[in-house]
Amino acid sequence: LDNFLLGNVYLENEVILGNVALRYNAIGDEIEFKESLSDDNKKAKALVKSKEIYAKIMKETFFFIPSEGYYLVVFDGDNFSLLKKITKKYFPAKKAKNNYETSTLAKFEDRFSYSIYTKNGEMVELPKSKSKKLKAFGNSEKLIKDYIKEKDLDLNKEKDLKKVIIYLDGVEGASL
């Protein structure tokens, strides 16, 4: 997130910073905060990285997993959650070598990856390819394959992936 938005910071479900300006800094993998939206961005500080502390920025919840970093919660179920990791990739400026090429400015591009998080603390990152994504469901692969076919879902679309995790969360005894 590039702009600061209003939100709350929680320590074990208790608000410790209420209605403050927050943003997720993907480059530093940290949540930054400042007292108000009008404060200078240079006054922003980073939250302590702890699994007991999480932030809600508008309607989005970010929480920290030690040795993994911050994740955005796409869906939080009773048994399974869908988490989104946001990173930035840097592309340096490129000067045209001749008249047929065009110069490009340096830029950062958002990159996303998804993981399934189980309530017993297991985390499975979903690969980019659809067939490998299916294999990541382990014991539930056939169940998920049938559900995707029945509902005509695309695992490479976040909204469809969320539907799959919601479905999986509701299946009695489902496991990865």
Side-chain angles (χ1 to χ4, degrees), residues 26-147:
I27 296 167
D29 192 27
E30 59 192 12
I31 302 288
E32 298 174 336
F33 71 96
K34 56 185 189 171
E35 291 299 313
S36 74
L37 293 172
S38 58
D39 282 357
D40 190 322
N41 286 358
K42 291 183 181 83
K43 290 184 177 178
K45 297 179 179 86
L47 276 184
V48 172
K49 292 181 177 181
S50 164
K51 63 181 171 55
E52 283 84 28
I53 297 175
Y54 64 95
K56 282 191 176 181
I57 304 171
M58 301 297 276
K59 290 185 171 142
E60 298 186 321
T61 302
F62 288 85
F63 79 101
F64 184 76
I65 298 174
S67 76
E68 297 286 335
Y70 278 100
Y71 284 84
L72 172 61
V73 179
V74 178
F75 168 73
D76 187 21
D78 294 329
N79 303 302
F80 299 96
S81 297
L82 179 62
L83 307 178
K84 181 180 187 177
K85 182 74 173 165
I86 304 167
T87 54
K88 297 233 181 226
K89 183 169 168 81
Y90 177 72
F91 294 93
K94 230 168 73 179
K95 234 177 165 32
K97 293 179 183 137
N98 55 45
N99 290 344
Y100 300 108
E101 291 182 1
T102 55
S103 295
T104 58
L105 298 172
K107 67 177 181 176
F108 281 99
E109 201 174 89
D110 287 344
R111 297 289 167 102
F112 307 106
S113 64
Y114 296 90
S115 295
I116 302 169
Y117 187 75
T118 66
K119 289 305 169 202
N120 61 10
E122 190 184 345
M123 193 150 112
V124 177
E125 186 174 338
L126 295 172
K128 298 272 181 240
S129 85
K130 285 182 200 178
S131 62
K132 288 182 181 166
K133 262 190 190 97
L134 274 171
K135 289 194 185 329
F137 286 94
N139 298 334
S140 299
E141 182 181 353
K142 184 178 178 348
L143 180 77
I144 296 304
K145 198 182 233 176
D146 293 344
Y147 182 74

